[in-house]
Amino acid sequence: MLIVKDCKSIWKNCLQLIVEVVGEQSYKTWFEPIVPLALNGDVLTIQVPSHFFYEWLEEHYIGILRIAIDKELGTHGRLEYVIDQDKIDFNSKNSTNFNTVSKGNIPLSSGNKASAASENSIRSPFELKTIDRGNGFDSNLNPNYLFDNFVEGDCNRLARSAGIAITKNPGTSSFNPLMLYSAVGLGKTHLVQSIGNAIKDKHKDKVVLYVSSEKFTSQFIESSYNNRIQDFANFYMQVDVLIIDDVQFLAGKEKTQEVFFTIFNHLHQNKKQVIMTSDCPPKDLKGMQERLISRFKWGLTADLQQPDLETRKAIIHRKLQHEKIQISESVIEYLAYSVDTNVRELEGVIVSLIGQSVLNQKEIDLELAKQTLQNIVKNIESEVNIDYIQKFVSEFFHVSIELLKDKTRKREIVVARQVAMYFAKEYTNMSLKSIGSNFGNRDHSTVIHAITAVNDMMDTDRKFNATMQELIKKFKMKAV
Ligand code: ADP
Ligand code: MG
């Protein structure tokens, strides 16, 4: 009886063989995306995502493909590639969209393993140079970004310690890739560069490369104009540690994402370290291919948050120490309280303050600090609202905003909650009812009770009164 073979089952059989030879990772990268399209006699047609992909298969996996086809279709079997028309083709300028690989073209070598794309495969390097390992390779790192001057706080502890762990065993820890995300100015670039610098310091033989996503994109575009995409990819595939900053800029850039995907997979499967930053968590990255996003989540994703008060003070101290400038603790406190948006802004304020002091030959005191701040920071919480009050109180009492709104009756949380309600009544025009609704839907009588309780405690408890006076002073200093 004649068994009718269809392209899907033939391809499935081929894949069973291929996966054993090339290994899981390479299989996922290079074979899973292939779609079997047709079987005409001895010719199996498969669809690949891009021309680049086709070339890669040809270069690295032709041996195993030949063996698989031989096994399934006999020695007359042929493989034809169709390049997915929907996807943009890197080399569209000079490539055909239909390629045939006849048996005669396929060398009957044994299957290449995942290591096929090793250093040996570098033919003509990108930017006219092969990476000269350990020999003056420019990592594009700023030597001033170090762990030593990166102040640790709750806001960055996880990211920082993951970074330190990576420096011990780049590539082989489970933090691969490491993906750091945060709003601007919270230390992503500083931290990833510190990791790069520390790896270079500890592992002299490792090739570390830092690149911004914009630069990566423009290099890619340039290489595609010059028909050197393969060289571009090969260049990046040689590094041991790739740090790519602000990947959100790859959004919407299909071709660049495609080559990045290829590079990423190659590095990852060869146990090379990939470190990335982004301005939002991977799942919120818009215009980014789903398959890239899912790879970003393979390792560790950590965010950097706004530094709390203590960390801000420590950052100011560090900065002043670096500039060899001394200012009074009260000015430091004032700055730390006032500028809580991000570290870059905090640094900007300090620099302006130093500038003002030199310019006017005035010592840096509270008055100068206030003046400077008024001039450069617009709208520092000038509008006192309930969110602001809750944040302020929560920071002071080290009680989270969630707990302020929660049902819990723990003594210290109740006190913080009552104080926040007191501030809301004193410093906003909100009604008792709406204050209550902002604290976990409590009713207005709870708010009255809170205000009375705070007033009573201020009258009767000296320590509490002192705390409140300090709090009110700070609140006014910052808010008004
Ligand atoms: P991002 O890349 O997240 O926008 P940067 O790394 O450029 O932020 O940080 C902005 C500035 O703040 C840099 O000058 C950096 O040195 C400084 N900075 C950020 N976080 C810290 C920190 N934890 N300790 C010391 N300096 C910091
Ligand atoms: Mg940055």
Side-chain angles (χ1 to χ4, degrees), residues 144-153 155-156 160 181-193 210 245-246 277-278 304-305 307 311 314-316 318-319 342-347:
N144 297 321
Y145 284 137
L146 300 168
F147 279 114
D148 277 353
N149 54 22
F150 186 80
V151 174
E152 183 179 1
C155 53
N156 59 36
R160 186 179 170 278
Y181 69 92
S182 77
V184 292
L186 294 177
K188 297 181 293 297
T189 300
H190 188 141
L191 188 52
V192 295
Q193 293 234 9
Y210 169 89
D245 209 356
D246 290 318
T277 74
S278 157
L304 294 170
Q305 290 165 354
T311 313
I315 290 172
I316 298 173
R318 184 66 56 94
K319 183 86 187 157
N342 66 55
V343 183
R344 186 171 297 151
E345 199 155 290
L346 190 57
E347 286 187 345

Side-chain angles (χ1 to χ4, degrees), residues 1-61:
M1 203 178 77
L2 185 71
I3 299 171
V4 183
K5 293 184 172 176
D6 68 287
C7 65
K8 283 200 183 114
S9 62
I10 293 277
W11 183 240
K12 200 172 147 214
N13 293 343
C14 291
L15 290 180
Q16 275 175 0
L17 178 75
I18 290 168
V19 67
E20 279 179 34
V21 176
V22 304
E24 196 69 34
Q25 285 290 353
S26 306
Y27 173 78
K28 278 205 173 118
T29 312
W30 299 108
F31 293 94
E32 257 183 19
I34 297 175
V35 183
L37 288 184
L39 180 69
N40 286 317
D42 293 338
V43 183
L44 174 67
T45 308
I46 57 170
Q47 179 185 282
V48 295
S50 67
H51 189 86
F52 180 68
F53 210 98
Y54 153 71
E55 283 185 346
W56 195 268
L57 287 171
E58 281 262 275
E59 193 166 333
H60 301 294
Y61 300 111

Side-chain angles (χ1 to χ4, degrees), residues 286-392:
K286 299 272 174 324
M288 199 70 96
Q289 294 172 7
E290 219 20 76
R291 56 183 192 162
L292 259 181
I293 293 180
S294 74
R295 289 204 174 16
F296 291 171
K297 296 187 217 152
W298 275 354
L300 179 80
T301 301
D303 66 336
L304 294 170
Q305 290 165 354
Q306 287 187 346
D308 58 19
L309 184 67
E310 288 313 310
T311 313
R312 296 201 293 275
K313 278 195 209 163
I315 290 172
I316 298 173
H317 275 290
R318 184 66 56 94
K319 183 86 187 157
L320 293 172
Q321 196 186 349
H322 180 73
E323 304 290 340
K324 302 198 172 50
I325 285 187
Q326 281 191 336
I327 59 179
S328 75
E329 204 52 38
S330 63
V331 176
I332 293 175
E333 282 234 320
Y334 171 72
L335 294 174
Y337 266 109
S338 310
V339 189
D340 62 359
T341 43
N342 66 55
V343 183
R344 186 171 297 151
E345 199 155 290
L346 190 57
E347 286 187 345
V349 169
I350 298 166
V351 170
S352 304
L353 195 52
I354 296 170
Q356 284 296 318
S357 138
V358 173
L359 194 70
N360 303 322
Q361 299 191 328
K362 260 190 182 171
E363 213 180 301
I364 299 179
D365 56 13
L366 208 51
E367 195 198 346
L368 186 67
K370 280 186 182 175
Q371 269 173 18
T372 308
L373 218 57
Q374 266 168 13
N375 293 339
I376 56 173
V377 185
K378 316 167 282 311
N379 197 16
I380 293 184
E381 308 277 8
S382 58
E383 206 180 303
V384 174
N385 59 28
I386 187 73
D387 291 341
Y388 172 61
I389 288 172
Q390 287 178 338
K391 186 162 164 266
F392 178 80

